Amino acid sequence: MAAWFQTPPGRYLLDWERTRFAEAVADAFGYHALQLGLPQLDALAGNRMPHRWLALPEVPGSPHAPDSPDTSNAALPLALTPLGRRVDLVSHAAALPFPAASLDLVLLPHTLELSADPHAVLREVERVLVPNGRVVITGLNPASWWGLRQHRAHWMARIGLGRTRLARLYLPEAGAFIGPWRLQDWLRLLSLEVEQLAYGCYRPTVRSERWLQRWAWMDRWGPWAWAPLGAVYFIVAVKRVRGMHLLGPAWRPTRAAAAPAVVARRDGDPSRP
């Protein structure tokens, strides 16, 4: 998908996601945050946590990902993303090198679409999140105009019309669409409560920057007129732990210590208290 993100539609989608991530992570508090994938977007730039990491499934610029799990968690202090940001670790998204309940925020920008087992990735994210930790997910919407055009191109290729203009792909070939309705069911099974669901990028499937700008008015009307048809969805979910109660301090002030002492006194002997 790296080459597609350099096209006008790809830059248009990244600009929308950059704004949404900045709004979502600005008020997310904690100590540890992790972004899994999409080095073209610095999704944690607006976050103020002291420890923020970028993890990728492969070294930037390498043609293939690491084959053996022994090298999947190697540190890369000198590896840089296209934006000049340092890559902190190379790790499989379904086998993160973090203990359970250790991360306050996890970002998955198009990570599930490119994963061979998105269920395993979500289970791993649920494992490393602290109670009330947040996961932010973006993905391409299969029910959008962009998704329908992609389905049409695949269908034309299957019936033998792959050389026609109608079979030309608009979105990258890599990855598989995951509908937001299915993703919400997966999150619910893992006790990840969906706190926010938003759609964006309502402009039609044009390829030039000029025509994308001409259809900019659709982004203003889209959230009101045809919200579920946005090309990309944005989900914020919170990890809920059932039966968890906040405990107060172990000690409690003794009221008797602050109250005045009561002393018995005999009425017949004034010399004795």
Side-chain angles (χ1 to χ4, degrees):
M1 296 181 69
W4 183 82
F5 280 123
Q6 297 177 3
T7 64
R11 293 194 298 268
Y12 159 57
L13 185 141
L14 282 180
D15 289 341
W16 184 86
E17 292 190 0
R18 186 177 294 106
T19 302
R20 299 300 305 187
F21 273 113
E23 296 173 353
V25 305
D27 297 330
F29 296 101
Y31 297 95
H32 307 96
L34 176 68
Q35 176 182 340
L36 281 173
L38 196 60
Q40 293 82 7
L41 178 65
D42 189 0
L44 287 171
N47 186 258
R48 292 172 288 180
M49 293 187 188
H51 305 288
R52 293 170 292 175
W53 299 293
L54 172 63
L56 298 181
E58 59 183 348
V59 180
S62 63
H64 302 288
D67 295 328
S68 63
D70 296 335
T71 60
S72 61
N73 295 330
L76 292 177
L78 300 180
L80 298 178
T81 68
L83 297 178
R85 182 184 176 191
R86 187 186 69 176
V87 178
D88 299 289
L89 57 100
V90 172
S91 174
H92 196 285
L96 298 175
F98 295 97
S102 60
L103 299 181
D104 301 280
L105 177 65
V106 177
L107 308 183
L108 302 177
H110 300 278
T111 307
L112 299 178
E113 298 171 338
L114 301 176
S115 174
D117 192 351
H119 300 84
V121 175
L122 285 179
R123 288 194 296 268
E124 184 70 358
V125 169
E126 189 276 337
R127 181 188 69 84
V128 300
L129 276 179
V130 301
N132 293 326
R134 281 173 165 76
V135 55
V136 185
I137 306 170
T138 58
L140 294 170
N141 183 13
S144 64
W145 299 119
W146 293 20
L148 294 177
R149 176 165 177 174
Q150 192 81 349
H151 287 305
R152 184 192 68 180
H154 287 298
W155 184 76
M156 297 297 290
R158 284 196 298 267
I159 64 176
L161 300 177
R163 296 181 178 274
T164 62
R165 185 178 180 181
L166 296 177
R168 185 182 179 187
L169 295 176
Y170 184 76
L171 297 172
E173 179 69 21
F177 290 147
I178 301 176
W181 53 90
R182 292 179 55 196
L183 185 54
Q184 290 183 86
D185 291 338
W186 297 351
L187 294 172
R188 192 177 301 111
L189 292 175
L190 294 172
S191 298
L192 294 170
E193 179 183 331
V194 176
E195 188 178 65
Q196 178 185 357
L197 171 60
Y199 296 89
C201 299
Y202 295 93
R203 305 180 195 184
T205 54
V206 295
R207 299 181 183 274
S208 66
E209 186 71 28
R210 176 184 176 186
W211 280 99
L212 282 172
Q213 294 301 326
R214 287 190 176 185
W215 291 98
W217 61 271
M218 295 189 69
D219 286 336
R220 295 190 296 268
W221 289 93
W224 307 99
W226 45 83
L229 297 180
V232 60
Y233 57 85
F234 185 89
I235 292 179
V236 180
V238 183
K239 179 180 177 179
R240 302 299 187 189
V241 179
R242 297 180 179 179
M244 183 186 69
H245 300 281
L246 296 178
L247 300 178
W251 56 270
R252 292 186 178 181
T254 305
R255 295 184 178 180
V262 179
V263 180
R265 179 179 178 179
R266 295 181 180 181
D267 295 337
D269 189 356
S271 63
R272 299 181 62 183

